[in-house]
Amino acid sequence: MQLELTPEQQQIRDAVQSLCDRFDDEYWREKDHTHSFPFEFQKAMAEAGWLGITMPEEYGGAGLGITEAAILMQTVGNSAGVLAACSSIHINVFAPHAIVVHGTPAQKAAILPPLIKGQDMACFAVTEPDAGLDTTHITTRAERVPGGGYVIHGRKVWISTAQHANKMMILTRTTPIEECKKPTDGMTLFYTDLDRRYVEVREIRKLGRGAVDSNAVFIDGLPVPEEHRIGPEGRGFHILLDAINPERVLVAAEAVGIGRRALAKAAAYAKERVVFGRPIGQNQGIAHPLAESWMQLESADLMIWKAAALYDAGKPCGAEANAAKFLAADAAFLACDRAVRTLGGMGYAAEYDVERYLREVMVPRIAPVSREMVLNYIAERVLGLPRSY
């Protein structure tokens, strides 16, 4: 469990904070308003080497652990860009892990350096409209073709950055679920070109995070060479499991960063805003909820570092990673909600930014896994209760 940063980890936090400070609230407010992808921020992060923080050194990465990646993403989440900033680089930090562990040397050499340098932008295509969290029932299929390779047909939903991505990591079915011994069998993972001759991308209008697109993706006959398959055919779901716990830890870290930023803005306003001859922060009705949010965020933060330490040590961390995501998302949401209400009418105004934080912090409560499924996991896997679904 991490209570204090090492000098090296503090250097990471300081360097990332310095970079993020170049992109202020005005920059992100405009990106959100115009729905413009933050290419300038993403480029700066790539040039500084942060996109490869967990990637092997021989491919241009830093070779560090999920703990350091969580420090990176929490610092980004605590910046003016909040979740939009995190989402613009999020996939580079966790998704290539499946390639690092299961890819061939040739695949790693071809895939990882362009991701680390920011030359390639990938999207992560798993969720489907008729399957949702029940990944075993995806229907996107990859069919073998004469002469080798595959052709993919299907549709995906809530795919971030697909408007601009040139690569796609996609989970498919290569064997119908009815023909598999286990529902988790028969799925295959690919990392391939997002060829828009065969892939239609439609942006989804949504509540927040306007700077980073979310999309429905329709795939009609996308040809995929054999060498774009990651790992053995039929083992795609199991390969993805290697990235699930790190993603939960990173999302939790991002959420705590966002919550802390909102809380700091609320506390500053509560000291300055005078009503009835006194600062509103002198009123317990204002002060106590903010104090409670500080405690909630700090408590969730401890679970993040526990989960990250377990993962980096190669120990089971499913319960801790899920709990960190659950606790952090809830604490961050409450902090942002309280920030808006502390600022009152100004909290509803775009120029004060906390309304943007609130809209964006909704996402960690929903994705990559819902609160209810986390509760199901803890009830079944930790407490040993009967499965409810």
Side-chain angles (χ1 to χ4, degrees), residues 18 44 84 128 131 140 178 180 203 210 261 271 333 359 374:
S18 178
E128 296 188 7
T140 295
E178 298 81 11
C180 297
E203 188 166 2
R261 184 173 184 88
K271 294 173 191 175
F333 174 79
R359 287 186 286 112
V374 171

Side-chain angles (χ1 to χ4, degrees), residues 91 94-95 122-129 132 135 138-141 152 154-162 165 167-173 187-194 199-201 215-219 222 236 240 247:
I91 188 172
F94 86 94
C123 60
F124 195 44
V126 175
T127 305
E128 296 188 7
T135 305
I138 63 170
T139 57
T140 295
R141 64 191 189 281
I152 296 178
R155 54 183 181 155
K156 300 289 183 179
V157 72
W158 293 114
I159 311 306
S160 296
T161 72
K167 299 289 183 179
M168 175 169 56
M169 182 174 283
I170 181 168
L171 186 66
T172 67
R173 268 221 167 268
M187 286 181 276
T188 302
L189 186 67
F190 297 91
Y191 183 86
T192 193
D193 298 325
L194 201 168
V199 181
E200 180 186 357
V201 179
N215 304 277
V217 175
F218 301 84
I219 306 157
L222 175 67
L240 274 187
E247 186 182 26

Side-chain angles (χ1 to χ4, degrees), residues 48-275:
W50 296 119
L51 301 190
I53 190 168
T54 61
M55 297 299 102
E57 293 181 75
E58 58 264 39
Y59 301 109
L64 299 176
I66 290 301
T67 298
E68 287 75 21
I71 292 169
L72 164 68
M73 298 309 293
Q74 187 173 86
T75 306
V76 175
N78 191 233
S79 75
V82 290
L83 191 68
C86 294
S87 297
S88 71
I89 63 170
H90 181 91
I91 188 172
N92 291 73
V93 178
F94 86 94
H97 190 67
I99 299 165
V100 172
V101 176
H102 299 278
T104 66
Q107 287 175 327
K108 295 176 192 178
I111 295 170
L112 298 180
L115 282 174
I116 292 168
K117 295 174 184 177
Q119 295 167 344
D120 281 344
M121 183 188 296
C123 60
F124 195 44
V126 175
T127 305
E128 296 188 7
D130 294 330
L133 287 169
D134 188 1
T135 305
T136 61
H137 281 80
I138 63 170
T139 57
T140 295
R141 64 191 189 281
E143 302 171 347
R144 281 194 171 274
V145 295
Y150 300 80
V151 172
I152 296 178
H153 303 269
R155 54 183 181 155
K156 300 289 183 179
V157 72
W158 293 114
I159 311 306
S160 296
T161 72
Q163 289 290 327
H164 308 288
N166 65 316
K167 299 289 183 179
M168 175 169 56
M169 182 174 283
I170 181 168
L171 186 66
T172 67
R173 268 221 167 268
T174 41
T175 303
I177 191 171
E178 298 81 11
E179 299 176 17
C180 297
K181 291 182 179 179
K182 298 179 180 178
T184 53
D185 293 340
M187 286 181 276
T188 302
L189 186 67
F190 297 91
Y191 183 86
T192 193
D193 298 325
L194 201 168
D195 188 334
R196 296 174 192 272
R197 294 175 297 174
Y198 307 95
V199 181
E200 180 186 357
V201 179
R202 299 181 193 169
E203 188 166 2
I204 300 170
R205 294 183 62 186
K206 56 189 189 295
L207 175 67
R209 208 193 65 173
V212 178
D213 50 284
S214 300
N215 304 277
V217 175
F218 301 84
I219 306 157
D220 185 11
L222 175 67
V224 179
E226 185 99 14
E227 56 267 27
H228 289 186
R229 189 187 70 221
I230 305 300
E233 185 175 299
R235 297 293 296 172
F237 182 85
H238 306 276
I239 292 170
L240 274 187
L241 291 179
D242 287 323
I244 285 178
N245 287 330
E247 186 182 26
R248 281 157 175 57
V249 172
L250 296 182
V251 168
E254 294 164 11
V256 166
I258 297 167
R260 284 174 172 165
R261 184 173 184 88
L263 181 60
K265 289 230 177 186
Y269 187 86
K271 294 173 191 175
E272 298 168 358
R273 174 65 167 156
V274 175
V275 178

Side-chain angles (χ1 to χ4, degrees), residues 300-379:
D301 197 49
L302 292 177
M303 186 60 81
I304 292 168
W305 304 122
K306 180 178 181 180
L310 288 170
Y311 182 87
D312 285 339
K315 297 179 180 179
C317 64
E320 291 80 6
N322 277 282
K325 186 268 181 191
F326 182 100
L327 296 170
D330 275 10
F333 174 79
L334 282 173
C336 291
D337 176 63
R338 287 165 174 166
V340 170
R341 290 190 288 128
T342 297
L343 272 67
M346 293 301 102
Y348 205 63
E351 67 179 289
Y352 282 80
D353 297 297
V354 289
E355 60 84 27
R356 173 167 56 88
Y357 304 166
L358 178 61
R359 287 186 286 112
E360 296 200 356
V361 85
M362 294 290 293
V363 176
R365 299 189 93 201
I366 302 168
V369 62
S370 69
R371 300 174 74 257
E372 292 72 23
M373 288 303 292
V374 171
L375 293 171
N376 286 337
Y377 181 93
I378 299 299

